[in-house]
Amino acid sequence: MDSRISARALSAALGGWRTREPAYEALADGIRLLCLDNRLAPRTALPAERELSAALHISRSTVAAAYRSLRDSGHIVSTRGSGSVTLPLRRRDPGGAASAEGAIDLQQASPPAWPGLAGVISEVALSASTLVARTGYDVLGRIELREAIARRYCDRGIPTSPSEIIVTTGAQSAIHLLAAVLLGRGDRVLIETPTYPHAADALRRADARLVGVPVTTDDGWDLDRAEQAFARTLPVLAYLMPDFQNPTGRSMTEQERSVLLRAADRAGTILVLDETTADLDIDRGPLASGFMDGDPALVVRVGSMGKTVWGGLRVGWIRAEGDLIRRLVASRPAQDLGTPEFEQAVAAAVFPDFAEVVAQRSHVLREGRDAAVSSLARALPQWRVPRVQGGVSLWIELDAPLSSALVMDVRSRGLLLSAGPRFSVEGGHDRHLRIPFTASPDDLARAVDILAESWPRVRGGAPVALVEQLDSVV
Ligand SMILES: Cc1ncc(COP(=O)(O)O)c(C=O)c1O
């Protein structure tokens, strides 16, 4: 067994779990969803029945029945001595490895590959013999690619030299590397909530303590909370997505950028700006340089080709001052020994076509967004669908805090989504659902039909107190 979760932590992760009767099935569903979302890793020991019943203020027999249901569905195993332990997902499990076949999978918000990519790959393959003559262990990144990345920053008004770039295997690996180099146990990290969950997971894995600052699609960043959090907790690092934030789709105003920059400067906080989604503009307009007047050592940018070109390319990068680049290079071999040569060559060959890539993305995302918005307006008018100008998803406000229950219900109908709490830093967001509009308009229309069919049932099955009491908070 690898780890255990305390009754308090499980209770916090479950949030508003009591979404239907009988209570034991609602609790079992809550734990199933944590397993499906990987918020409860396989081989995690669950709390003893007595402890969980005390933390959740329910009877021990309810917990016992929930664990029995989880054993029957193959999600946990209970043994004398070790208690109850989560199991890896089975292949037939909704959300398990094979489940995406035939299902509409909206768990990932990734557009299909840019159509020109296959041609570029074929062209680069012609130089295979030159490529394989290289040593192949490239911890810093090919100079042609670093030059192309630096040029793109210069075009945005951010003077950059190739020595300020390290190429990584995607933005995720960049975030992981930054966390490993910059953070120590117990360090505070300021982070938006909701946020991109794999970044939060990487920062937690570095034993950082996350401090959430709310962001909403309509109102943007909560600057009062952010300023207080910077001043009170003196975070070592702040992880932010200034443009088309995932999942809200919101971009920072100039004022938000400058308030956050000043607060970070005062606190001595390194700002890690994740710009993976920054080029996904539909109808906002040009990308701002932003964050330019602070201490340059305190502003680090992360970029990626994952959303613009293709997630499968696995090419990302970090832009930082030379000193930090050297520290990242020194630390990297413990994590990986470089970015694959072929993928780097493909990425470098795509850069000259970047304007075309961005225009094509804009077109695809507009179609997806407009299809999702109009289907939702027709089928689920009681949900509040915010207007977004780009990015990958709609962060929708439901008319009851039943996101997790809804996600479980539609899974069995072949629609895979992540519930609102998956994007939360400190629990909550049960009233929100992320719908990526990166899928095809047809899939999005079908997905909305499934949601509209499920929602009255899920809402009708919830205890009246939950729906009514929390409805008044809207
Ligand atoms: C905001 C954000 N950062 C990072 C990533 C990971 O990017 P990559 O595929 O380049 O690792 C994603 C992918 O979903 C993302 O949305």
Side-chain angles (χ1 to χ4, degrees):
M1 180 201 322
D2 295 326
S3 56
R4 60 180 53 249
I5 184 164
S6 69
R8 226 179 56 180
L10 182 54
S11 160
L14 282 164
W17 58 274
R18 203 161 185 163
T19 53
R20 69 175 171 113
E21 297 299 340
Y24 77 87
E25 273 304 355
L27 177 57
D29 270 356
I31 294 174
R32 278 186 198 109
L33 188 61
L34 293 175
C35 294
L36 292 166
D37 275 350
N38 212 18
R39 283 182 285 163
L40 262 180
R43 314 238 170 271
T44 301
L46 298 181
E49 290 170 5
R50 184 174 28 82
E51 288 163 19
L52 188 58
S53 67
L56 295 176
H57 308 292
I58 54 176
S59 75
R60 190 169 162 180
S61 61
T62 302
V63 178
Y67 281 10
R68 201 176 314 118
S69 169
L70 288 164
R71 274 194 299 277
D72 291 346
S73 59
H75 286 86
I76 65 170
V77 63
S78 304
T79 51
R80 202 176 281 275
S82 310
S84 296
V85 178
T86 58
L87 289 171
L89 295 179
R90 291 181 303 189
R91 289 182 68 75
R92 64 176 174 77
D93 212 328
S99 64
E101 283 164 33
I104 304 175
D105 190 349
L106 300 183
Q107 293 170 115
Q108 264 132 28
S110 39
W114 168 59
L117 181 62
V120 174
I121 288 177
S122 308
E123 236 168 74
V124 173
L126 297 176
S127 57
S129 52
T130 320
L131 276 175
V132 297
R134 296 175 181 167
T135 61
Y137 292 101
D138 186 1
V139 179
L140 182 60
R142 297 296 306 168
I143 183 65
E144 311 83 67
L145 179 53
R146 288 187 292 117
E147 278 170 355
I149 295 167
R151 217 173 299 124
R152 195 158 157 74
Y153 280 115
C154 295
D155 292 346
R156 278 175 58 189
I158 306 169
T160 303
S161 90
S163 62
E164 292 170 306
I165 304 290
I166 174 174
V167 179
T168 59
T169 47
Q172 184 62 30
S173 148
I175 297 162
H176 197 266
L177 184 57
L178 285 164
V181 168
L182 296 174
L183 295 174
R185 176 180 287 271
D187 282 346
R188 308 292 173 101
V189 170
L190 189 140
I191 185 165
E192 294 139 349
T193 184
T195 189
Y196 165 57
H198 295 312
D201 291 345
L203 296 163
R204 282 195 195 97
R205 194 163 286 184
D207 286 327
R209 283 196 280 166
L210 306 192
V211 180
V213 168
V215 54
T216 66
T217 315
D218 289 337
D219 299 326
W221 280 255
D222 185 334
L223 293 180
D224 286 345
R225 285 274 286 278
E227 284 187 302
Q228 280 171 23
F230 273 114
R232 279 211 208 116
T233 67
L234 300 177
V236 171
L237 187 156
Y239 169 82
L240 302 170
M241 289 166 270
D243 294 279
F244 307 124
Q245 200 257 3
N246 185 0
T248 61
R250 174 78 183 206
S251 295
M252 284 181 192
T253 60
E254 285 305 333
Q255 195 223 352
E256 283 167 336
R257 286 171 213 257
S258 70
V259 168
L260 291 167
L261 179 64
R262 262 186 281 120
D265 252 347
R266 277 197 296 270
T269 303
I270 297 177
L271 280 177
V272 173
L273 308 177
D274 184 343
E275 299 184 314
T276 299
T277 51
D279 286 308
L280 305 178
D281 180 32
I282 301 174
D283 41 28
R284 184 195 68 172
L287 185 53
S289 46
F291 297 97
M292 292 293 289
D293 347 312
D295 175 350
L298 293 182
V299 178
V300 174
R301 292 173 197 263
V302 170
S304 170
M305 292 206 146
K307 305 282 177 200
T308 43
V309 179
W310 185 39
L313 196 56
R314 309 306 311 139
V315 169
W317 58 86
I318 300 167
R319 179 199 179 276
E321 266 216 327
D323 183 47
L324 178 54
I325 295 287
R326 281 185 285 280
R327 288 169 64 200
L328 295 166
V329 166
S331 169
R332 181 172 180 177
Q335 176 178 319
D336 70 18
L337 294 176
T339 313
E341 293 280 3
F342 186 76
E343 279 74 355
Q344 290 196 69
V346 171
V350 166
F351 264 101
D353 295 329
F354 216 76
E356 194 192 307
V357 170
V358 169
Q360 192 269 346
R361 268 0 198 178
S362 181
H363 174 74
V364 168
L365 292 168
R366 182 189 301 275
E367 282 193 335
R369 179 198 64 183
D370 293 350
V373 168
S374 62
S375 302
L376 284 161
R378 174 182 45 77
L380 287 155
Q382 64 276 45
W383 288 2
R384 233 175 51 74
V385 179
R387 175 99 198 130
V388 290
Q389 296 178 312
V392 288
S393 59
L394 299 169
W395 183 240
I396 290 164
E397 192 175 317
L398 312 180
D399 56 313
L402 291 166
S403 175
S404 303
L406 177 63
V407 164
M408 283 305 287
D409 197 74
V410 296
R411 259 176 200 278
S412 57
R413 287 163 180 75
L415 173 60
L416 310 182
L417 279 162
S418 299
R422 179 69 183 111
F423 303 88
S424 168
V425 171
E426 290 141 342
H429 290 306
D430 253 313
R431 189 177 276 280
H432 284 95
L433 182 67
R434 183 184 80 158
I435 300 197
F437 47 75
T438 45
S440 70
D442 277 358
D443 275 359
L444 286 165
R446 271 175 56 219
V448 171
D449 285 346
I450 296 172
L451 287 166
E453 205 253 311
S454 274
W455 185 239
R457 188 178 39 250
V458 169
R459 210 175 183 283
V464 174
L466 178 85
V467 175
E468 282 184 354
Q469 174 207 335
L470 290 168
D471 256 5
S472 62
V473 178
V474 181

